[in-house]
């Protein structure tokens, strides 16, 4: 487990990786969701206007849904972090000795001797009590709380970028090949997001790509035949 002294730089790198991973997953959702919509509608009609309208509506709805979900989720997380910090401030004010012993115990569990743990806890508490206790006990950096607006914008942009891939590929190709062109673009996009997500998570690249592409292909296949069935029934 990382020591307190190297926590800040590793925490910064970890935070950036988390945002990058969230962006990749958002783009992946955009690709699969909008591909399913446009391919499904293409199975029901040859009208380019109808297909594009459905795709754009899906892009906008999906992007705002992702952004809203992230905003609510991260806002709840931020509220929880603030509540924990208020409680920690209260405990530091009303029972400082007990809190310092608790901090020392944390460092003992990490492998420091009892004497050294007590010294570290005392010096860190004297420097910035809330910072030291919040990071060690709660895993929270009081100066770097999660941002709901940042999360919302990142999700909105990531979903939009991913969604544009199937939307543009089906819009810019001839009617006779546009479903196949969309499918090819989606496979390329999902291969890329699968590769990046696997590398970020230290997982097997081949398995991640296969899983990613498989889900996207199944989505397009099912929605296409649903569109064909619906179009035939209505027609």
């Amino acid at each position: 487990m990382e020591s307190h002294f190297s926590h800040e730089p590793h925490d910064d790198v970890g935070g950036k990786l988390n945002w990058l991973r969230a962006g990749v997953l958002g783009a992946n959702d955009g690709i699969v969701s909008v591909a399913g919509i446009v391919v499904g509608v293409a199975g029901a009609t040859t009208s380019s206007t109808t297909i594009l309208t459905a795709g754009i509506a899906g892009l906008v709805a999906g992007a705002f849904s992702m952004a809203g979900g992230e905003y609510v989720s991260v806002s709840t997380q931020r509220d929880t972090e603030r509540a924990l910090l208020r409680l920690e401030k209260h405990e530091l004010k009303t029972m400082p000795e007990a809190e310092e012993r608790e901090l020392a115990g944390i460092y003992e569990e990490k492998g420091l001797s009892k004497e050294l743990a007590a010294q570290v806890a005392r010096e860190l508490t004297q420097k910035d009590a809330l910072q030291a206790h919040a990071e060690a006990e709660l895993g929270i950096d009081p100066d770097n709380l999660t941002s709901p607006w940042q999360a919302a914008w990142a999700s909105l942009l990531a979903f939009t970028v991913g969604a544009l891939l199937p939307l543009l590929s089906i819009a810019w190709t001839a009617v006779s090949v546009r479903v196949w062109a969309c499918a090819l673009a989606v496979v390329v996009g999902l291969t890329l997001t699968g590769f990046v997500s696997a590398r970020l998570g230290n997982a097997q690249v081949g398995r991640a790509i296969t899983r990613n592409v498989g889900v996207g292909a199944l989505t397009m296949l099912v929605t296409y035949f649903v569109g064909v069935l619906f179009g035939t029934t209505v027609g």
Side-chain angles (χ1 to χ4, degrees):
M1 199 168 182
E2 298 295 336
S3 70
H4 178 85
F5 303 104
S6 62
H7 177 81
E8 225 173 52
H10 284 287
D11 187 55
D12 183 56
V13 172
K16 290 179 179 178
L17 286 177
N18 285 336
W19 281 115
L20 182 56
R21 186 178 293 110
V24 170
L25 294 176
N28 194 80
D29 286 344
I31 294 171
V32 175
S33 299
V34 174
I37 292 172
V38 295
V39 168
V41 177
T45 179
T46 58
S47 170
S48 298
T49 301
T50 302
I51 294 170
L52 287 177
T53 300
I56 293 170
L59 184 156
V60 173
F64 277 89
S65 176
M66 288 281 292
E70 281 295 308
Y71 178 81
V72 170
S73 175
V74 176
S75 292
T76 301
Q77 179 183 342
R78 189 181 180 92
D79 290 343
T80 301
E81 290 172 343
R82 285 173 168 170
L84 290 171
L85 288 173
R86 285 195 298 271
L87 178 60
E88 192 64 35
K89 284 181 181 179
H90 175 72
E91 291 177 346
L92 286 169
K93 183 177 181 179
T94 56
M95 52 182 77
E97 296 83 4
E99 283 296 298
E100 187 173 313
R101 287 194 299 271
E102 183 180 3
L103 184 60
I106 291 173
Y107 288 110
E108 280 190 65
E109 292 178 359
K110 290 184 177 182
L112 298 183
S113 66
K114 184 175 182 178
E115 294 76 14
L116 182 56
Q119 179 183 350
V120 170
R122 182 171 59 255
E123 292 185 6
L124 288 176
T125 298
Q126 289 173 351
K127 181 180 179 181
D128 190 331
L130 181 61
Q131 182 86 21
H133 288 258
E135 289 188 349
E137 296 177 29
L138 307 174
I140 298 174
D141 182 354
D143 299 325
N144 188 30
L145 297 182
T146 50
S147 170
W149 283 109
Q150 185 181 17
W153 279 110
S155 295
L156 187 147
L157 291 174
F159 187 96
T160 300
V161 170
L164 284 173
L165 182 63
L167 184 62
L168 295 178
S169 65
I170 207 167
W172 288 350
T173 49
V175 174
S176 59
V177 297
R178 61 186 175 192
V179 171
W180 289 108
C182 179
L184 179 60
V186 167
V187 168
V188 172
L190 293 179
T191 298
L192 179 60
T193 57
F195 174 80
V196 174
S197 62
R199 294 301 299 269
L200 290 174
N202 295 318
Q204 293 184 10
V205 172
R207 181 178 297 177
I209 290 175
T210 300
R211 182 169 56 237
N212 231 25
V213 173
V215 169
L218 180 61
T219 299
M220 289 187 291
L221 184 65
V222 171
T223 56
Y224 178 77
F225 282 106
V226 167
V228 169
L229 178 62
F230 182 79
T232 302
T233 302
V234 173

